Amino acid sequence: MTSAQQRAALQRQIWAIANEVRGAVDGWDFKQYVLGTLFYRFISENFASYIEGGDEGVRYAELPDNVITPDIKDDAIKTKGFFLYPSQLFAKVVASAHTNESLNTDLAAIFAAIEASANGYPSEHDIKGLFADFDTTSNRLGNTVKDKNTRLAAVLKGVSDLDFGDAHDGDFEENQIDLFGDAYEFLISNYAANAGKSGGEFFTPQHVSKLIARLAMHGQTSVNKIYDPACGSGSLLLQAKKHFDVHIIEEGFFGQEINHTTYNLARMNMFLHNINYDKFNVQLGNTLIDPHFGDDKPFDAIVSNPPYSVKWIGSDDPTLINDERFAPAGVLAPKSKADFAFVLHALSYLSSKGRAAIVCFPGIFYRGGAEQKIRQYLVDNNYVETVISLAPNLFYGTTIAVNILVLSKHKTDTTTQFIDASGLFKKETNNNVLLDKHIEEIMAVFDSKANVDHFAKSVPFEQVADNGYNLSVSSYIEARDTREVIDIKTLNANIANIVARQAELRTAIDAIVAELEGDEA
């Protein structure tokens, strides 16, 4: 099989396992156990590979715990961010899982020990609470301890059966990490697709993430760091790693997430993509009223798919109008629609050489009131590089056709580019998708800023201002007329032929009727 076929087979297998072991438990509720188990296996094999250091004569899982010296442990935590004793490794636990009557409590103790191993080290924040949602005592697993252990053993065995290659064959870094990371992203995307709106709030489909990451990184040979102020499970940040050389992002990956479970998924996702604890910083909290990373800004690349039209405190907090993020616009985003609050936050964190690519609800580009005043601020200060309208039904949980707003602080002219990409998609079973060729088409015109009929147009500042600072793509790009072109002369000739034929038929019918009437007489 080809590599692509192997990955496809692995993905089919992991989704079948995920559905089989959950039984009657809702998949959305059960996702923490499958994702957490996959993460547990990954860090076990990754950690063992690190300790073995390529020495084929060493099998970390076969060593007794008491041979681990304090120095070995200390060095490992400083490097990897956490520690596992041989007895705590996934392979050791899964070997006796089906006969272990204290499996659920043993797992809980191991997870607690992994997290505690980082206490007092720089990685403490990145490790703390990682397994908080892997509740081995939950009734979701069963009503009795035996039932819980049976289901936990099934999850462990299922994940153990997945073929990621031999952890001891020396290619862990090159091959297995990609497979683990792909499997984790595949699981998250499937859970999101099957969860409706709640899934769409924490995961941006990979094909859209790729476009957003490329927009934010475009033209930059290196960026200091990349940031997502509403990072969900980290999918947008990880696209930057996947599609660009890792060394181009010098200081790492930064994100903030308001949902605790999703915050844990994002941190796991970073580890699973081999981003070490000292190269990512994901924080928990409300970005709009409790923003982190003020001391880390500015960022050369910002990507974001914030929640659409959520409520926020807005003008009910009189201090916010003086917040350095919102004060320059002179007005706060409406309390019922926080979209532009996220936009202004991102702009405030953006460097003079960078770009921000933000998924936005289309209504914010044409509505009046405070949103119009914020648009005026953005346009008057020449921050809006491009507005892109996408096809409908690209995201999980919503069918709307969203826009991407690209902000820049280094534009060389005062035009605003509009791209109508609403016709670029491939229809699949439940959602539309952007293909690579669609992304290339968008990126080519984004780079060239060329005017293309019915697709792209760069509009002078004065025209946008005269149009009430309306930033809707449809206000500037005429939709292609897909109606059939009709030749009037040919149509008239056809009509004349039809009329003549009708006359012939009428004459023939009259003759037949007259003949029948004559026979009756």
Side-chain angles (χ1 to χ4, degrees):
M1 286 195 295
T2 66
S3 175
Q5 289 173 326
Q6 288 175 328
R7 286 171 189 258
L10 182 63
Q11 289 173 350
R12 286 193 299 271
Q13 183 186 5
I14 195 171
W15 189 240
I17 290 168
N19 283 322
E20 180 182 345
V21 297
R22 70 180 175 88
V25 184
D26 181 78
W28 183 248
D29 291 335
F30 198 67
K31 69 182 184 300
Q32 268 69 254
Y33 297 102
V34 179
L35 291 167
T37 302
L38 185 65
F39 175 69
Y40 175 37
R41 176 179 167 182
F42 172 82
I43 63 170
S44 292
E45 295 184 6
N46 194 339
F47 188 83
S49 177
Y50 160 75
I51 293 290
E52 291 162 3
D55 187 341
E56 295 183 1
V58 177
R59 288 290 186 268
Y60 186 60
E62 297 172 4
L63 298 177
D65 288 358
N66 60 14
V67 304
I68 307 301
T69 66
D71 286 344
I72 292 174
K73 183 176 181 180
D74 182 66
D75 287 343
I77 298 171
K78 288 176 179 176
T79 302
K80 301 300 289 183
F82 56 89
F83 190 85
L84 289 91
Y85 283 100
S87 64
Q88 297 171 331
L89 294 173
F90 174 86
K92 295 295 285 287
V93 174
V94 77
S96 61
H98 282 289
T99 58
N100 185 355
E101 295 181 358
S102 59
L103 177 63
N104 67 326
T105 53
D106 286 351
L107 278 174
I110 289 171
F111 296 157
I114 294 171
E115 292 183 17
S117 69
N119 289 349
Y121 287 86
S123 59
E124 180 176 351
H125 170 80
D126 300 304
I127 305 298
K128 187 176 182 179
L130 267 178
F131 292 98
D133 296 300
F134 199 119
D135 183 1
T136 62
T137 65
S138 172
N139 286 335
R140 290 172 179 169
L141 293 169
N143 293 321
T144 67
V145 171
K146 183 178 180 181
D147 289 342
K148 291 178 176 63
N149 287 338
T150 298
R151 181 156 284 156
L152 284 170
V155 177
L156 290 165
K157 178 65 164 58
V159 171
S160 176
D161 286 343
L162 295 172
D163 183 11
F164 293 112
D166 185 356
H168 300 282
D169 65 5
D171 71 345
F172 190 84
E173 294 293 321
E174 290 76 14
N175 182 49
Q176 287 178 284
I177 287 169
D178 285 344
L179 290 174
F180 269 104
D182 284 351
Y184 194 81
E185 288 275 319
F186 170 79
L187 274 172
I188 290 181
S189 66
N190 272 31
Y191 282 124
N194 286 275
K197 185 176 184 299
S198 56
E201 289 175 351
F202 87 103
F203 184 78
T204 305
Q206 286 192 10
H207 51 97
V208 185
S209 296
K210 182 178 180 180
L211 172 62
I212 296 167
R214 289 190 60 179
L215 288 165
M217 303 279 284
H218 182 70
Q220 303 192 72
T221 55
S222 66
V223 300
N224 62 351
K225 45 206 164 188
I226 188 166
Y227 168 57
D228 185 344
C231 70
S233 59
S235 56
L236 266 173
L237 290 171
L238 288 165
Q239 282 300 315
K241 179 183 186 297
K242 187 170 184 178
H243 294 286
F244 302 93
D245 186 276
V246 69
H247 299 295
I248 202 173
I249 302 170
E250 296 165 354
E251 298 175 43
F253 303 78
F254 294 72
Q256 185 164 343
E257 171 56 33
I258 194 170
N259 180 281
H260 194 278
T261 295
T262 312
Y263 158 71
N264 285 337
L265 290 178
R267 291 188 295 159
M268 287 184 184
N269 215 356
M270 293 293 151
F271 280 112
L272 272 157
H273 285 82
N274 208 35
I275 299 175
N276 208 35
Y277 75 91
D278 58 347
K279 284 295 184 181
F280 77 83
N281 190 342
V282 178
Q283 297 282 342
L284 178 66
N286 186 325
T287 294
L288 299 183
I289 62 174
D290 183 25
H292 290 265
F293 311 121
D295 294 335
D296 294 290
K297 65 180 184 179
F299 295 87
D300 290 342
I302 297 177
V303 292
S304 191
N305 178 17
Y308 310 142
S309 301
V310 294
K311 295 178 181 179
W312 75 306
I313 193 169
S315 58
D316 284 347
D317 181 350
T319 67
L320 285 175
I321 194 60
N322 298 316
D323 189 301
E324 63 179 1
R325 299 170 296 164
F326 311 127
V331 65
L332 296 172
K335 290 188 293 183
S336 60
K337 302 174 182 70
D339 307 74
F340 266 128
F342 283 104
V343 169
L344 291 174
H345 170 89
L347 180 67
S348 173
Y349 276 48
L350 185 63
S351 75
S352 60
K353 61 164 278 194
R355 281 191 178 90
I358 308 165
V359 180
C360 297
F361 185 81
I364 72 170
F365 293 108
Y366 59 79
R367 291 192 294 241
E371 292 179 319
Q372 183 183 33
K373 292 178 181 177
I374 295 173
R375 291 198 305 273
Q376 179 175 351
Y377 162 72
L378 295 173
V379 174
D380 283 352
N381 285 276
N382 206 29
Y383 293 137
V384 181
E385 181 173 4
T386 303
V387 182
I388 305 170
S389 64
L390 297 179
N393 204 31
L394 290 174
F395 293 79
Y396 302 125
T398 180
T399 60
I400 62 171
V402 300
N403 293 176
I404 297 176
L405 173 64
V406 183
L407 300 175
S408 170
K409 292 182 178 178
H410 61 273
K411 288 173 61 182
T412 57
D413 60 38
T414 59
T415 63
T416 300
Q417 183 188 39
F418 296 89
I419 300 175
D420 182 359
S422 60
L424 300 181
F425 65 93
K426 178 187 177 185
K427 185 171 181 57
E428 294 201 342
T429 306
N430 297 317
N431 283 83
N432 294 328
V433 297
L434 282 173
L435 302 179
D436 283 348
K437 66 178 182 180
H438 300 145
I439 294 173
E440 294 302 333
E441 193 172 346
I442 294 169
M443 291 306 303
V445 78
F446 175 74
D447 176 62
S448 70
K449 297 295 187 287
N451 290 331
V452 181
D453 288 346
H454 312 296
F455 183 54
K457 186 176 182 180
S458 291
V459 178
F461 163 78
E462 294 79 10
Q463 185 178 344
V464 176
D466 291 344
N467 195 24
Y469 296 93
N470 187 320
L471 293 176
S472 293
V473 173
S474 60
S475 295
Y476 302 97
I477 297 181
E478 182 181 359
R480 188 182 303 276
D481 189 347
T482 57
R483 293 174 300 178
E484 182 182 357
V485 178
I486 298 174
D487 186 323
I488 297 299
K489 289 184 179 179
T490 302
L491 178 63
N492 286 336
N494 289 338
I495 292 173
N497 289 334
I498 291 171
V499 171
R501 180 60 177 156
Q502 282 181 326
E504 292 175 4
L505 291 172
R506 175 56 60 189
T507 299
I509 291 171
D510 288 345
I512 293 171
V513 171
E515 184 179 343
L516 290 173
E517 290 176 344
D519 291 341
E520 290 176 358

